[in-house]
Amino acid sequence: MRLAAFVTVTVYLGFVAWLTLRPVTAVWVSPPNVELFATIRSDLARGPGEAARSLGAGLALLAPLGVLLPVLGKRLGGSRFASAARTVFAGAMISLVIELLQSSVPGRVANIDALLLSTLGVGLVHLLAYAPLRSLLLRPRRPSVPRPVPRPQAISPGPTPRASGVSLAPRADARAGRLSVR
């Protein structure tokens, strides 16, 4: 299960890197946003439809990591708070790396609100999916229909087969010093 989660996380992060780190040809690029909630306020000022699309995209970008990262860890059976803290921290660090790399890509700018939204998306999905995921992966497995185990039967060796016309070989009798046939 962890191997499948590792492959899925790797492929997903490759897709996110391709999506967020491609150069964009633009005539004009806004400066990086380092003011907290500035982009969110401007999205809300554009109307509810544009705000829902923009904020939803920010929340959904890294949200699958809220499910995939706990599966990668060995402590899925741990406390909910500790798992949430580890997952949100890992999501925040991945988002920070993406935002820092975007500052070096032509046409892309770093945005503190994108970091906040993607981290919030990871945390929300983790909190919503942790309990069902834990019960699914840690439940005791019921054995399938029990099959009867064949018991070994005692095999009676019976009499040793003898070939007719063959006599026993002579044996040396140690006490008498002579050969004898039994």
Side-chain angles (χ1 to χ4, degrees), residues 8-22 61 98:
T8 305
V9 166
T10 304
V11 169
Y12 183 71
L13 287 178
F15 171 72
V16 168
W18 173 79
L19 189 66
T20 59
L21 299 176
R22 288 182 302 164
L61 180 66
I98 289 172

